[in-house]
Amino acid sequence: MGRLTAGGTEVLTPAFMPVGTRGVVKAVSPEEVWGLGYRMILANAYHLYLRPGHELVERHGGLHRFMDWPGSILTDSGGFQVFSLARLRKINDEGVVFQSHIDGSSHLFTPELSVQVQEGLGSDIIMCLDDVRGYPVTKEEALEAVIRTGNWAERCLRSKKTVDPALFGIVQGSVFSDLRKLSTESLTSLDLDGYAVGGLSVGEPHDIMVEMLEVTVPLLPEGAPRYVMGVGKPQDILDGVLRGVDLFDCVLPTRNARNGMLFTSRGPVNIRNARHADDPEPVDMCCTCPLCVNYSRAYLRHLFQEKEIYGLRLATIHNLSFYSRMMDRIRDAVRDNKLRSFAGEFSAKMEETDD
Amino acid sequence: MGRLTAGGTEVLTPAFMPVGTRGVVKAVSPEEVWGLGYRMILANAYHLYLRPGHELVERHGGLHRFMDWPGSILTDSGGFQVFSLARLRKINDEGVVFQSHIDGSSHLFTPELSVQVQEGLGSDIIMCLDDVRGYPVTKEEALEAVIRTGNWAERCLRSKKTVDPALFGIVQGSVFSDLRKLSTESLTSLDLDGYAVGGLSVGEPHDIMVEMLEVTVPLLPEGAPRYVMGVGKPQDILDGVLRGVDLFDCVLPTRNARNGMLFTSRGPVNIRNARHADDPEPVDMCCTCPLCVNYSRAYLRHLFQEKEIYGLRLATIHNLSFYSRMMDRIRDAVRDNKLRSFAGEFSAKMEETDD
């Protein structure tokens, strides 16, 4: 277990961060996110740079104030979004030229600009711009990304104007153990505030993802937070914690909620399924969230059938509540030195299916 | 001023009811609606009959429990929705045959079925099925609707199985004063619990609407609540209260909110407008709702630009807050015998435009 203090807020680790890409965790209020126990969220520099613009957010007192979030904010550097969303990317040592996925406008994102954007947003933890590749890639390409990511991290560190935000580096190296090691060394030599294992969840098999964690995490400094970006499924989080990871973020609980997929202690429930139409039971008998305390499956299904906005909110609250309780239990298990047996039981229960 | 007790909840009149067509006030929680001061909402028998079905709602303990609403519920009879939404209507003395706007299935709605549906939903105030006509209609047609509406009200009264819900009749007669009088007489002879002035807001000029209120309301029994359905704009509500109307409902505050149109003490604001993009001020300086206390116009506009669900909720809360405070002030003005001067000042302010 750990305590991470960022922007004056204490976050207990291992921690999961809900994703608030555009300065809002989709379908819920900051109060609800806080009330569910979350103290840190992730926002995306790429999206907020394009709209409404980091300079606008800065003029309005920074993202915390703009979106009324009292906790910590970690921002992604934009590297992954340029890789996954933007069109006509052209990457070179200077930075990455891309066309906005919104209006096609052309932009040059550099390590310096990424830091400037994230500092403008007023993030508590900022990420170094990295060179993200897909899966599979050749070792040659992966090496190029490792070298560039290291150089960019150095430029990020140099261009940081304020002391306050923590700066995390992102380890690359695709599925090559020796490149992961190389990337880790180049970043840890900079003595950054924390380290992410990047370039995972891009299509590689689960086993390989776990293997790369096993290769990388032990090489990271003991006292620095370790973060796996864009992960993940409950099983992936358990696998990460078992290998020493402290921080996770993923759109899964919120996006699944909006698609009617609810996590429960007895496996996933698709609330759109006709079998729930007349079901007076709550989504999860073991859950104490507002959805499960106040409403039946039948009502939630009705809201989804009718495309009622309130259904998206209730489902999101439920899934975020599920993740929050899961992290509570994971931390308890770590403290009690029972993580391995907890992980086994939890996974078995999750594989039951209630749907 | 009045006190209307329905289903154990006391409602101060004149009152405005938010519309919860499908068993939810769009984009907000029952807790939020209650917290804004509302004690009675409207739901639609037509929609809930089609989906999820009144029998299902009844099995689940009635609409209050299904949707977790602690206040009163008034249900519309379905007459207006059949008139405005359904296809291939065929109306005769027995009832109205229509095709569902959802799946084209054929249904016969009778006064008896309308009462059965509303009783199944567990409404506190149920409305008689009425024969609704558009504007303009011939006097002959309007007379037919008046006679049929009277006969149907009698059948509704006879078919009511439980004592609990109040039964309101709906005065028809289009824009013909003598037909309004005839309709009022036929309904008041049944000694119903309350009366609505129906067939308004269907396209007739504002002056004629007001004239019909002036003709009809004085003919209604003093002690019975008077309700104008589907009204309306702040000005229409003021005009109604000035003529003795106690109850109003309208989708305007909630629907406008979802379109980015916000009511303020200084006229309407269209938050999508580019001029709000960089505006750090709240939507309404005089408003104490969560939107105006916590967020800038710039942030709300950003949420609308990005089609973020949370924006719809904040805007809805704001508009419902505006209506709630407006009704508070209207009741204060009635009590202090200052309604006419209040109405004048209020209207003048609303005509300023901040946009």
Side-chain angles (χ1 to χ4, degrees):
Chain A
M1 281 182 75
R3 286 172 204 275
L4 171 69
T5 304
T9 303
E10 190 179 80
V11 180
L12 298 176
T13 64
F16 176 82
M17 291 178 273
V19 175
T21 300
R22 294 168 177 82
V24 59
V25 178
K26 279 190 187 297
V28 293
S29 71
E31 242 180 318
E32 282 159 350
V33 175
W34 182 272
L36 290 167
Y38 294 102
R39 295 296 174 262
M40 179 147 69
I41 61 167
L42 175 139
N44 286 108
Y46 169 84
H47 290 91
L48 293 167
Y49 159 79
L50 291 176
R51 278 205 314 216
H54 60 289
E55 285 150 337
L56 186 145
V57 175
E58 188 171 11
R59 276 197 300 281
H60 288 251
L63 189 56
H64 294 79
R65 184 164 165 200
F66 194 54
M67 70 179 288
D68 193 36
W69 169 245
S72 295
I73 297 175
L74 179 151
T75 41
D76 195 355
S77 63
F80 186 78
Q81 282 70 38
V82 168
F83 161 74
S84 60
L85 292 176
R87 284 173 291 181
L88 286 177
R89 280 182 314 128
K90 253 192 169 169
I91 196 161
N92 59 34
D93 287 339
E94 192 194 356
V96 52
V97 175
F98 65 91
Q99 289 197 333
S100 157
H101 73 289
I102 299 170
D103 60 6
S105 57
S106 198
H107 301 264
L108 167 65
F109 227 60
T110 61
E112 292 77 13
L113 178 59
S114 176
V115 168
Q116 191 186 326
V117 168
Q118 295 179 78
E119 288 192 319
L121 294 172
S123 307
D124 302 300
I125 299 177
I126 69 182
M127 304 299 300
C128 292
L129 188 67
D130 54 339
D131 180 348
V132 182
R133 305 290 168 115
Y135 172 85
V137 282
T138 64
K139 195 160 181 181
E140 211 178 348
E141 282 187 273
L143 175 61
E144 186 186 51
V146 164
I147 294 170
R148 190 170 284 144
T149 296
N151 292 336
W152 285 4
E154 207 179 328
R155 284 165 59 188
C156 284
L157 185 60
R158 271 206 309 268
S159 72
K160 214 174 141 235
K161 287 211 182 58
T162 53
V163 186
D164 295 353
L167 178 67
F168 283 21
I170 305 174
V171 176
Q172 293 295 341
S174 187
V175 299
F176 307 102
S177 302
D178 51 346
L179 296 187
R180 287 279 169 189
K181 187 157 181 268
L182 184 67
S183 183
T184 305
E185 283 164 358
S186 84
L187 293 173
T188 53
S189 72
L190 298 172
D191 194 21
L192 300 169
D193 301 304
Y195 300 90
V197 187
L200 296 178
S201 275
V202 290
E204 78 287 355
H206 178 81
D207 291 353
I208 294 191
M209 183 192 94
V210 171
E211 196 189 317
M212 288 304 109
L213 290 181
E214 287 179 345
V215 166
T216 311
V217 175
L219 303 174
L220 296 170
E222 274 279 330
R226 295 123 174 218
Y227 168 26
V228 183
M229 306 182 79
V231 169
K233 294 177 198 152
Q235 189 58 54
D236 295 339
I237 291 176
L238 282 167
D239 285 331
V241 173
L242 279 166
R243 281 146 192 95
V245 178
D246 303 299
L247 288 174
F248 303 87
D249 81 272
C250 192
V251 295
L252 199 70
T254 45
R255 179 179 292 166
N256 273 12
R258 298 195 308 283
N259 291 326
M261 296 295 302
L262 289 103
F263 290 93
T264 84
S265 52
R266 293 177 54 213
V269 164
N270 179 355
I271 201 65
R272 294 173 183 277
N273 200 312
R275 55 167 287 217
H276 304 301
D278 209 349
D279 190 340
E281 298 299 324
V283 166
D284 188 347
M285 290 282 241
C286 304
C287 177
T288 58
C289 85
L291 169 66
C292 293
V293 169
N294 298 318
Y295 300 100
S296 61
R297 292 184 178 205
Y299 182 68
L300 186 63
R301 179 173 188 275
H302 169 65
L303 293 182
F304 269 85
Q305 283 284 104
E306 301 292 346
K307 300 184 174 51
E308 286 286 353
I309 294 162
Y310 186 48
L312 307 178
R313 166 173 164 190
L314 288 173
T316 302
I317 289 175
H318 172 83
N319 277 358
L320 286 179
S321 172
F322 179 88
Y323 265 64
S324 181
R325 287 181 306 117
M326 177 177 78
M327 298 312 297
D328 285 345
R329 294 173 67 196
I330 287 176
R331 284 192 299 270
D332 287 349
V334 171
R335 188 195 52 215
D336 301 342
N337 208 14
K338 287 180 180 163
L339 185 61
R340 208 159 290 274
S341 67
F342 169 78
E345 283 163 33
F346 192 88
S347 306
K349 274 214 169 169
M350 289 291 290
E351 271 163 32
E352 290 180 25
T353 175
D354 194 26
D355 216 47
Chain B
M1 283 183 75
R3 285 173 204 274
L4 171 69
T5 304
T9 303
E10 190 178 80
V11 180
L12 297 178
T13 65
F16 176 81
M17 291 178 274
V19 175
T21 300
R22 293 167 176 83
V24 59
V25 178
K26 279 190 189 298
V28 292
S29 72
E31 241 179 320
E32 283 159 349
V33 175
W34 182 273
L36 290 167
Y38 294 102
R39 294 296 174 263
M40 178 147 69
I41 61 167
L42 175 138
N44 285 110
Y46 169 83
H47 291 92
L48 293 167
Y49 159 79
L50 290 176
R51 279 207 310 219
H54 59 290
E55 286 150 335
L56 185 146
V57 175
E58 188 171 11
R59 276 197 301 281
H60 289 251
L63 189 57
H64 294 79
R65 186 166 163 197
F66 193 54
M67 70 179 287
D68 193 36
W69 169 244
S72 296
I73 296 175
L74 179 149
T75 40
D76 193 355
S77 64
F80 186 78
Q81 281 70 37
V82 168
F83 160 76
S84 60
L85 291 177
R87 283 172 293 183
L88 287 178
R89 281 181 314 126
K90 253 193 166 168
I91 194 161
N92 61 33
D93 287 339
E94 192 195 355
V96 51
V97 176
F98 65 92
Q99 289 196 334
S100 157
H101 73 288
I102 300 171
D103 61 5
S105 58
S106 199
H107 300 264
L108 168 64
F109 227 62
T110 61
E112 291 77 12
L113 178 58
S114 176
V115 168
Q116 191 186 326
V117 168
Q118 295 179 79
E119 289 193 317
L121 295 172
S123 309
D124 303 301
I125 299 178
I126 69 182
M127 303 299 299
C128 292
L129 188 67
D130 55 338
D131 180 347
V132 181
R133 305 292 168 114
Y135 173 83
V137 282
T138 64
K139 194 160 182 178
E140 212 177 347
E141 283 187 273
L143 175 62
E144 187 187 52
V146 163
I147 293 170
R148 189 169 284 144
T149 295
N151 292 335
W152 285 3
E154 207 179 328
R155 282 165 58 189
C156 284
L157 185 59
R158 272 207 308 268
S159 72
K160 211 173 143 239
K161 286 211 180 60
T162 52
V163 187
D164 296 351
L167 179 67
F168 283 21
I170 304 173
V171 176
Q172 293 295 342
S174 187
V175 298
F176 307 102
S177 302
D178 51 346
L179 295 186
R180 287 279 169 187
K181 187 159 184 264
L182 184 67
S183 183
T184 306
E185 284 165 358
S186 84
L187 293 172
T188 52
S189 73
L190 297 172
D191 194 21
L192 299 169
D193 301 304
Y195 301 91
V197 187
L200 295 179
S201 277
V202 290
E204 78 286 355
H206 178 81
D207 291 352
I208 294 190
M209 184 193 94
V210 172
E211 195 189 317
M212 288 304 108
L213 290 181
E214 287 179 345
V215 166
T216 311
V217 175
L219 303 174
L220 296 170
E222 274 279 328
R226 296 121 175 220
Y227 168 27
V228 184
M229 307 182 78
V231 169
K233 295 176 199 151
Q235 189 57 53
D236 295 339
I237 291 176
L238 283 167
D239 285 332
V241 173
L242 280 166
R243 281 145 191 97
V245 178
D246 303 299
L247 289 173
F248 303 87
D249 81 274
C250 193
V251 295
L252 200 70
T254 44
R255 179 177 293 166
N256 274 12
R258 297 194 308 283
N259 291 325
M261 296 293 304
L262 289 101
F263 291 93
T264 84
S265 53
R266 294 177 55 211
V269 163
N270 180 355
I271 201 66
R272 295 175 183 276
N273 200 312
R275 55 168 287 217
H276 304 302
D278 209 350
D279 190 341
E281 297 299 322
V283 166
D284 189 346
M285 291 281 242
C286 305
C287 178
T288 58
C289 84
L291 170 66
C292 294
V293 169
N294 298 319
Y295 301 101
S296 61
R297 291 183 179 205
Y299 183 68
L300 186 63
R301 180 173 186 274
H302 168 66
L303 293 181
F304 270 86
Q305 282 286 103
E306 300 293 346
K307 299 186 174 53
E308 286 287 352
I309 294 164
Y310 186 48
L312 307 178
R313 167 173 164 192
L314 289 173
T316 302
I317 289 175
H318 172 83
N319 276 357
L320 286 179
S321 172
F322 180 88
Y323 265 65
S324 182
R325 287 180 306 120
M326 176 178 77
M327 298 313 295
D328 286 345
R329 296 173 66 196
I330 288 176
R331 284 193 299 271
D332 287 349
V334 170
R335 188 195 53 213
D336 301 342
N337 209 15
K338 288 180 180 163
L339 185 61
R340 207 159 290 273
S341 66
F342 169 78
E345 284 162 33
F346 192 89
S347 306
K349 274 214 169 170
M350 290 291 288
E351 271 163 31
E352 288 178 27
T353 176
D354 195 25
D355 217 46

